[in-house]
Amino acid sequence: GFSGFAKNNKFAVFPSCGLGWVLSNESSFKISWIDYLKLRMSYGQNGNQTSRYSSLARVAAIDDYKYVFGDGGSTSMGQSIVSLSNDDLRWEKTLGLNFGIDFGIFNNRIKGNIEYYKTSTTDLLWNMVIPEVTGFSSITTNIGKVANSGFEFLIESTPIQRNNFSWDFAVNFSTNKNKIVSLMGYDHDGDGKEDDLVASGLFIGKSIGAIYHYEIDGIWQITDNVADGYYPGNYRIIDQNDDGKITAAADRVFLGRTEPAFIAGIQNSLNYKNFTLRFFVNTIQGGKNGYQGKQYGGAALSSTGNFANTNHFTFFDHWSVTNPDGKYAVTVNAPQIDAAKYCSRSFIRLQDISFAYKLNQSLLQNIGIAGAKFYISGKNLLTFTKWDGWDPETNQGIESNYYPVMKSFTLGVDIEF
């Protein structure tokens, strides 16, 4: 039970079960190079809860003056309703099936696990966009059904094990695909198909992170026959139906998705005598049209000089009169419809690296020290990406109001007594 749900839906039941079989423990198992092998399966349901008070109409003080008491009285601060109530708000439920294999081979020099899962989530908790004529822009509610499936594996290995040298290696990999199966169940346009929730960015048959926006084809130039409502330096939006005008209903298309194709990490540890080198490489890859992020061309400013004076990035390839082949638009004059450039956020990053030397015990035993190690380490030292701006992983692009991912070095000594 959870108090954040509506009064009639605070409790829910989530049953599950799991089965496992360690084949390598069976007397009939005769594969000598397999040290451990377990098959397992689980099936069940779990729940996702909302934040507190989500089902209630909340009242809060606002930074505004609302009331006047009596003739000639001064205005006073007031309170107003800041969220709509939802008497039907209930638990989000996910029903899942999982298959897994745990293994160890070659005297456990290689071990790991492999997983495959398939889930179906219903009654998704969502801040659904509603007409602002209601006085609110969204309401927390339950909608639809989403299907997920994915594959994961983790492998740990010791490829080399010698007297003075060893190499330990680990890699993890995961991928997930999701698809919206159903939403509200409405067919208001009478086409025989369930309606999408366009205002909320949800489309049946697409992923939750589908990008539905205007497609751009370069930047309007001074010598172009610029469309009405647009100016040189604005993005040129493709007129998908060639009707001579740009509208949200006719000219938005699916450009990709925000979810990645896969996530992976590689950990290495190399030991030679008293020296140890460790490093971890992290990568997120989008594949075709995946892991996309929006790159803003800049604010609507009165001149390119003001664009620079407000500390926007002038060292990226922005359009200007003297740089007509710029990669990003500069909206010196605000366009009628402000398009955006979506770019891949795929990256490979050297996340952590350390180098350590451990002093011989024979040098320390006479001074009462159990162990001592000198080390130097670094974080976020190298990132390989085509993404411009601060950081692809946090989706921080070429805007000015963000901060870069901090690179750090640490030099230290560990002493044990």
Side-chain angles (χ1 to χ4, degrees), residues 23-32 34-37:
L23 278 77
S24 55
N25 285 349
E26 300 291 339
S27 58
S28 59
F29 191 83
K30 302 296 184 181
I31 305 176
S32 60
I34 298 180
D35 305 291
Y36 182 78
L37 182 62

Side-chain angles (χ1 to χ4, degrees), residues 107-327:
N107 295 320
N108 284 319
R109 292 281 292 274
I110 301 175
K111 55 186 178 180
N113 58 71
I114 302 172
E115 310 268 352
Y116 173 78
Y117 63 88
K118 192 177 182 71
T119 66
S120 176
T121 302
T122 56
D123 294 332
L124 277 82
L125 293 166
W126 197 266
N127 290 324
M128 189 173 70
V129 175
I130 58 176
E132 292 194 11
V133 69
T134 61
F136 302 89
S137 59
S138 65
I139 183 173
T140 302
T141 188
N142 300 94
I143 59 173
K145 179 180 180 181
V146 174
N148 279 269
S149 62
F151 172 78
E152 300 175 353
F153 72 78
L154 169 66
I155 295 177
E156 298 173 318
S157 174
T158 305
I160 300 175
Q161 183 72 58
R162 299 287 186 267
N163 290 333
N164 292 325
F165 179 74
S166 66
W167 172 28
D168 297 317
F169 171 85
V171 58
N172 63 77
F173 175 92
S174 65
T175 182
N176 177 75
K177 292 183 179 179
N178 72 79
K179 182 175 71 172
I180 298 174
V181 178
S182 177
L183 289 170
M184 303 297 291
Y186 300 143
D187 181 18
H188 292 303
D189 56 10
D191 62 355
K193 298 185 296 183
E194 186 178 349
D195 295 339
D196 299 320
L197 292 177
V198 180
S200 296
L202 300 176
F203 305 90
I204 295 173
K206 301 291 184 180
S207 71
I208 290 180
I211 299 172
Y212 185 63
H213 204 65
Y214 300 98
E215 186 178 6
I216 61 175
D217 180 25
I219 297 173
W220 287 110
Q221 303 295 326
I222 292 177
T223 56
D224 292 339
N225 183 18
V226 181
D228 292 339
Y230 299 87
Y231 305 89
N234 296 159
Y235 284 123
R236 183 169 52 234
I237 300 173
I238 295 178
D239 184 3
Q240 301 290 341
N241 61 353
D242 292 323
D243 64 352
K245 55 185 178 181
I246 303 298
T247 61
D251 296 308
R252 287 185 295 177
V253 294
F254 292 101
L255 302 177
R257 63 190 187 282
T258 59
E259 301 97 340
F262 69 86
I263 301 173
I266 300 173
Q267 172 79 47
N268 283 274
S269 179
L270 295 96
N271 303 276
Y272 176 70
K273 294 185 177 179
N274 292 357
F275 295 94
T276 301
L277 173 65
R278 289 191 176 94
F279 60 92
F280 174 69
V281 177
N282 177 37
T283 181
I284 301 179
Q285 298 293 320
K288 183 179 180 181
N289 298 325
Y291 204 49
Q292 298 278 311
K294 184 188 295 186
Q295 288 282 21
Y296 291 91
L301 302 168
S302 59
S303 71
T304 53
N306 284 341
F307 186 82
N309 293 339
T310 54
N311 199 31
H312 280 69
F313 287 178
T314 57
F315 47 85
F316 283 111
D317 191 14
H318 289 290
W319 180 94
S320 70
V321 175
T322 57
N323 185 35
D325 296 325
K327 183 178 180 180

